Amino acid sequence: AEVADDTVIHNLNVRGRRGNIVQVYPSVEYDFVPNVLVVRQNDLVHIQWTGSDANPNGNDGEGRRMTDRSNLVEVNAENENVPKEMSNYTFLVDGNGEPDTALIEKLAYLEQNSSRYGECDPEESNQQEVSNCKVLNNAPAYFNAGLVRVNAKLGVHHLMSTRNNNFSNRSQKSTIIVLAALVKLAVGSGDAADQDTIILAATFGTLGALGALLAVAYVSGALSWALVACGLRKPESRVIHEDAENMEDGTSQSPMGMAQVCEKATALPVEWWNRLSQHNQCLAVYFALNFVFALEGFCFYTNEPYFPYLALAKAGGYMLDFNFTLILFPVMRNFMSFLRMTPLVKILPMDDHLAFHKFIGSFSLFAITLHVVMHYLVMQAKKEDGGNSVSYNALGTRSGFTGHLVIVLMTVMYFTAWERVKQAFVRIGKWRVGGYNTFFIAHHLYVPVYALLLLHSESFHKWAFWPIVMLCVDKAIGSLRAGRKVHLIHASLEKADVMRIQMDIVGFRYKPGQYLYLNCPALSKHEWHPFTITSAPEEGFVSVHIRTRGDWTSRLKEHICPQIAEDEALASASSNPMAVTSSPSEDAGAGITSVQIGRKKSMGEVFRVDGPYGTGSEHVFDYDVAILVGAGIGVTPYASIVKSVRLRMNQATPELRKKLRPVRIYFYWVCRDMQEFNWFSPMLQDAQKAGEADGPQIDINTYMTGELNLDDLQQKQPNDNSWAGKKWAGRPNWRRIFSEIATSHPKTNVGVFLCGPGAKDIQAQCKQSSKSGETTFDFHKENF
């Protein structure tokens, strides 16, 4: 039969001669070569050996004197010396996996009945008689079994020669290890792609490329930093300055000695890791864990059929097990708030938990693609081997059907999670289709997705059981919180599109800088939106400021403002003509808010509240010096903090005031124009006036980055308090600001807190301005 060019052929031979170890010297005793043979399914093994009729007379051994003969039979274990029953053979099998009787007899008896020495005598027991075929006396010296295809099952198979295995000091045995066949991928006109290329490109190339993107950024900075750390190069920002100083005083810095360089170099890996940001450290660990789990799945299935495609599919599956488990943690609101109170807050970037959730979802697309594509190649290979069709394997099996359902549901979840889709909607009669509600409902498809994953994979429950339990507990806590009674005390339009909501919530305890989720059942029972709490805990109520530019917030203003406008005449007690104060109805049920406005006209259940939840702003009170940066509406959490600091100082005793933190606050508010400034300037004024006691120094700086009418500024009197703090035009010069703060507070750990855009620039400035042993800046960013 013709043998394909890319077929692998192995040789199995015999070496050695008749006799014990002394008699055969300098040769060896009987042995198979190789003693351990590793093959793959569909490989060919050429079985042949050459015996002898001219061994020295008198050498020990079985059969006729002076002869060397060998045969091949299977045994159950390496230490056994009795052949298997023919029906139990596992290596010498045909294409159907059944024992190949003809081949078994050929290798065991060596075709002795057709020998020139005559017929075999089954009753003969004389070792010297040619008719004694039991000891291979009737076999020729040279034997060639030809090419034998490996149809055996995966695993280890043991073989021996029956003639040369009856002495304690001799063991003519062989072990054959059968691995999975390499599946050939047709390319072009039938040429097969190199398997090593496929493995390396698909496994290490694809997975390694993701880590390489991060590694390139690291290496480029790490090499430069390593030279600086070893004293072989000065930082670029300090080279000119230091050289100028050296020229002035006539001194020069001598290079470091070799011992110092080596000492520095030994600490480079640790120092380099410590200089990475929290985000990059976590991403490095995340990619490393994905690589480890992918490699585990790949290696575990290297000996299975349809290698390497099944192994690559399992590599993707192991990554999905890990990612579909990890993706649940960032959306556990209560769990994330709890972690903020643990030392893990210094290790994990808690402020970007939702961004990490989205990142895991995006990376899972790669793992899904790898998993699905490789499984389809396996299905095609099964079909070519005479198995079921691809369509049957894809949709007619439990794993295939559930897997495709998961893909369909996750496609809907991915599509509706896009920001453009979340913000878009269409009206069909009285119904609104799209927007946040569509995202909310579609994202709850995670429930059937995880149910299908438990059916799809036999091992997924080992990964996901406890995270699912934790998620259920977290959701239960959130539902209990949302059932608290909420009393709407005050609602007002501070400006054209900024609404202030003031509430009294039973059992609601919060810290400055935290946020809550607000739901208005009249608009949607499922739509919850996060808002920063703008009041201070010491004020005894809860307030939020809402910019009514979005879909839901605009409808909220339409829902509440008509009631306020109707009672405008009755709201003369308020300085704001668009404000109204309400009181709770006496028959308000548990968990339901009944608010009466103006002429006792009930608005029903106005709000439900879930929270509070923690943010990075909570850690303001861990620092003696804090920098607060708010951009646009990002001013809201820091107004709460400034008011709380003032009120704490007012209420504290002189002794306690000395222990309160922070002692100095630098507050920077960046807004685009006067309209944006007018939204929250009154709130900042209230924060600035919140206390008159000797307490922390609070520097408020307001920056107007957009168009500014200078005539309006000239008309304002110097003592005009409508604009809180110092007034600046343009964008903040962060290099100057950080430099001045570092000079004013040497050897101090300064907390930097940002709510709004511009995180990249400020975080970079924190790194650049931090000096070991001197002033350092810790960056925190607020995210909902």
Side-chain angles (χ1 to χ4, degrees):
E2 294 184 0
V3 178
D5 293 339
D6 57 354
T7 301
V8 178
I9 301 177
H10 307 267
N11 279 300
L12 182 62
N13 306 113
V14 173
R15 68 172 180 173
R17 61 188 303 182
R18 181 188 186 97
N20 58 40
I21 191 171
V22 176
Q23 293 171 335
V24 301
Y25 183 83
S27 184
V28 296
E29 298 177 287
Y30 291 121
D31 196 7
F32 286 105
V33 181
N35 187 257
V36 177
L37 177 62
V38 180
V39 299
R40 293 189 179 276
Q41 291 176 322
N42 296 326
D43 286 355
L44 295 176
V45 180
H46 186 198
I47 301 175
Q48 64 171 334
W49 49 74
T50 301
S52 173
D53 291 326
N55 261 305
N57 194 16
N59 281 11
D60 296 335
E62 287 188 281
R64 289 190 303 133
R65 286 185 294 269
M66 302 180 66
T67 63
D68 291 315
R69 300 289 187 270
S70 299
N71 67 343
L72 196 63
V73 297
E74 289 191 37
V75 291
N76 288 313
E78 187 177 7
N79 59 352
E80 292 193 9
N81 297 313
V82 178
K84 288 182 180 179
E85 293 288 338
M86 189 179 296
S87 59
N88 295 330
Y89 271 48
T90 57
F91 179 75
L92 302 175
V93 294
D94 57 23
N96 297 321
E98 299 296 328
D100 190 336
T101 305
L103 180 62
I104 293 172
E105 292 180 349
K106 181 178 181 179
L107 292 173
Y109 297 110
L110 308 182
E111 301 177 330
Q112 293 182 88
N113 284 329
S114 61
S115 173
R116 57 187 174 89
Y117 296 115
E119 296 294 327
C120 294
D121 183 359
E123 303 299 328
E124 183 61 60
S125 59
N126 189 333
Q127 292 279 327
Q128 305 305 317
E129 289 294 331
V130 175
S131 61
N132 188 353
C133 295
K134 291 179 289 186
V135 289
L136 310 180
N137 284 345
N138 203 11
Y142 174 74
F143 176 77
N144 183 4
L147 295 176
V148 176
R149 185 168 296 277
V150 179
N151 298 314
K153 296 180 180 179
L154 305 180
V156 180
H157 307 268
H158 301 286
L159 303 98
M160 76 170 191
S161 170
T162 59
R163 171 164 166 162
N164 306 315
N165 215 58
N166 291 340
F167 297 91
S168 60
N169 64 334
R170 297 175 199 169
S171 179
Q172 186 179 358
K173 295 181 178 179
S174 177
T175 299
I176 299 181
I177 301 174
V178 179
L179 303 180
L182 290 174
V183 180
K184 304 298 182 181
L185 179 64
V187 179
S189 60
D191 296 332
D194 180 75
Q195 303 301 307
D196 291 335
T197 303
I198 296 175
I199 297 172
L200 292 175
T203 307
F204 301 103
T206 309
L207 293 176
L210 294 173
L213 294 176
L214 193 61
V216 168
Y218 289 167
V219 171
S220 60
L223 292 177
S224 176
W225 173 80
L227 295 175
V228 174
C230 290
L232 303 177
R233 174 184 171 186
K234 296 178 182 178
E236 293 181 1
S237 60
R238 297 165 59 184
V239 169
I240 299 177
H241 177 68
E242 292 183 1
D243 287 347
E245 291 181 348
N246 293 336
M247 290 176 64
E248 290 178 2
D249 58 18
T251 62
S252 61
Q253 185 178 2
S254 59
M256 296 178 62
M258 193 63 190
Q260 292 175 297
V261 172
C262 293
E263 182 180 354
K264 286 275 188 179
T266 56
L268 285 183
V270 176
E271 291 290 335
W272 172 67
W273 175 260
N274 291 336
R275 285 181 65 90
L276 295 179
S277 66
Q278 270 188 339
H279 299 76
N280 288 341
Q281 287 180 348
C282 289
L283 283 177
V285 173
Y286 171 75
F287 281 122
L289 289 175
N290 271 283
F291 183 79
V292 168
F293 290 126
L295 194 61
E296 179 186 4
F298 182 86
C299 294
F300 191 77
Y301 284 86
T302 52
N303 291 335
E304 295 296 323
Y306 309 109
F307 180 85
Y309 301 124
L310 182 60
L312 288 172
K314 294 300 182 180
Y318 274 48
M319 285 192 292
L320 290 175
D321 286 340
F322 170 64
N323 282 277
F324 282 165
T325 299
L326 186 64
I327 200 171
L328 297 177
F329 288 98
V331 294
M332 299 181 191
R333 299 173 185 171
N334 296 284
F335 179 69
M336 297 303 297
S337 294
F338 167 76
L339 288 183
R340 290 185 179 278
M341 299 183 292
T342 68
L344 288 176
V345 72
K346 298 181 180 180
I347 301 175
L348 303 176
M350 299 293 184
D351 298 337
D352 288 327
H353 57 100
L354 290 184
F356 187 49
H357 173 78
K358 297 175 182 178
F359 182 83
I360 296 172
S362 300
F363 182 80
S364 297
L365 289 176
F366 159 72
I368 290 172
T369 303
L370 178 66
H371 184 67
V372 173
V373 171
M374 293 300 113
H375 265 306
Y376 264 98
L377 291 175
V378 172
M379 295 175 195
Q380 179 63 30
K382 287 182 177 180
K383 177 186 175 182
E384 293 176 356
D385 288 345
N388 294 318
S389 64
V390 173
S391 59
Y392 175 82
N393 287 324
L395 301 175
T397 60
R398 184 186 67 179
S399 59
F401 182 72
T402 54
H404 283 82
L405 281 181
V406 167
I407 293 174
V408 172
L409 296 179
M410 290 195 66
T411 300
V412 176
M413 294 174 65
Y414 274 108
F415 178 74
T416 55
W418 290 354
E419 289 298 326
R420 290 187 177 181
V421 177
K422 288 167 63 176
Q423 297 174 3
F425 66 90
V426 295
R427 291 187 177 273
I428 303 178
K430 297 181 179 181
W431 299 93
R432 293 164 50 90
V433 179
Y436 184 88
N437 274 339
T438 302
F439 158 76
F440 181 86
I441 295 172
H443 235 59
H444 273 71
L445 290 174
Y446 78 88
V447 176
V449 164
Y450 276 80
L452 290 169
L453 287 174
L454 291 172
L455 295 174
H456 176 76
S457 172
E458 297 179 355
S459 61
F460 184 65
H461 69 279
K462 299 177 183 178
W463 291 80
F465 177 77
W466 287 112
I468 290 176
V469 171
M470 293 175 62
L471 180 66
C472 292
V473 172
D474 190 86
K475 293 291 185 182
I477 294 174
S479 298
L480 292 175
R481 285 183 167 189
R484 289 176 294 206
K485 296 178 64 175
V486 181
H487 171 216
L488 177 61
I489 300 175
H490 180 88
S492 63
L493 288 177
E494 300 290 332
K495 296 296 177 182
D497 55 358
V498 176
M499 184 165 53
R500 181 190 180 195
I501 304 294
Q502 187 173 320
M503 300 166 287
D504 180 21
I505 308 174
V506 177
F508 191 87
R509 298 180 180 180
Y510 64 97
K511 298 178 181 179
Q514 290 187 324
Y515 68 98
L516 54 78
Y517 279 85
L518 205 61
N519 170 259
C520 182
L523 303 182
S524 171
K525 293 183 178 180
H526 307 296
E527 196 163 351
W528 294 80
H529 290 274
F531 296 100
T532 301
I533 301 173
T534 56
S535 57
E538 295 79 8
E539 292 182 290
F541 58 84
V542 180
S543 68
V544 295
H545 283 67
I546 303 174
R547 186 168 64 181
T548 57
R549 284 187 173 183
D551 170 33
W552 184 85
T553 54
S554 298
R555 290 188 290 132
L556 180 65
K557 182 177 70 173
E558 294 173 1
H559 176 65
I560 294 180
C561 286
Q563 299 291 333
I564 299 175
E566 183 181 346
D567 295 288
E568 180 179 353
L570 301 177
S572 57
S574 173
S575 59
N576 189 332
M578 294 296 290
V580 72
T581 302
S582 62
S583 58
S585 71
E586 298 177 356
D587 59 347
I592 301 178
T593 302
S594 180
V595 182
Q596 293 188 1
I597 297 181
R599 300 188 183 94
K600 309 297 182 183
K601 182 180 292 185
S602 175
M603 291 183 66
E605 185 184 15
V606 182
F607 292 116
R608 290 188 297 160
V609 171
D610 178 20
Y613 294 106
T615 65
S617 302
E618 290 182 42
H619 301 286
V620 168
F621 300 96
D622 296 335
Y623 297 90
D624 289 329
V625 180
I627 301 175
L628 311 180
V629 183
I633 199 172
V635 70
T636 52
Y638 304 134
S640 170
I641 291 172
V642 172
K643 284 193 290 184
S644 180
V645 169
R646 290 287 197 186
L647 292 172
R648 287 186 184 190
M649 287 295 176
N650 284 350
Q651 300 171 7
T653 62
E655 293 77 13
L656 185 58
R657 289 176 188 170
K658 299 178 181 179
K659 300 179 181 179
L660 293 179
R661 306 172 76 185
V663 298
R664 186 68 180 267
I665 296 177
Y666 296 91
F667 180 51
Y668 300 90
W669 180 27
V670 184
C671 50
R672 287 174 295 182
D673 49 37
M674 287 297 298
Q675 180 184 9
E676 194 171 78
F677 164 77
N678 288 332
W679 289 336
F680 297 105
S681 184
M683 184 173 59
L684 282 184
Q685 296 172 41
D686 293 341
Q688 199 172 32
K689 300 174 184 178
E692 300 177 355
D694 294 334
Q697 299 181 30
I698 302 177
D699 295 342
I700 297 180
N701 298 268
T702 306
Y703 287 80
M704 195 82 67
T705 61
E707 187 178 49
L708 184 63
N709 191 332
L710 297 179
D711 292 335
D712 289 345
L713 292 181
Q714 292 175 355
Q715 294 174 6
K716 292 182 180 292
Q717 299 298 323
N719 61 351
D720 189 354
N721 61 1
S722 63
W723 194 325
K726 298 179 182 179
K727 315 168 188 62
W728 300 82
R731 298 183 180 278
N733 184 341
W734 294 119
R735 178 177 297 181
R736 174 190 61 80
I737 292 171
F738 275 71
S739 177
E740 292 177 354
I741 294 176
T743 303
S744 302
H745 305 279
K747 297 182 179 180
T748 303
N749 189 20
V750 180
V752 181
F753 300 85
L754 170 68
C755 184
K760 185 177 180 180
D761 294 337
I762 298 178
Q763 187 174 15
Q765 191 61 51
C766 287
K767 286 185 177 181
Q768 184 176 349
S769 302
S770 295
K771 300 177 183 178
S772 179
E774 301 179 22
T775 304
T776 58
F777 297 88
D778 294 340
F779 180 74
H780 303 266
K781 185 179 186 301
E782 182 162 339
N783 289 288
F784 298 128

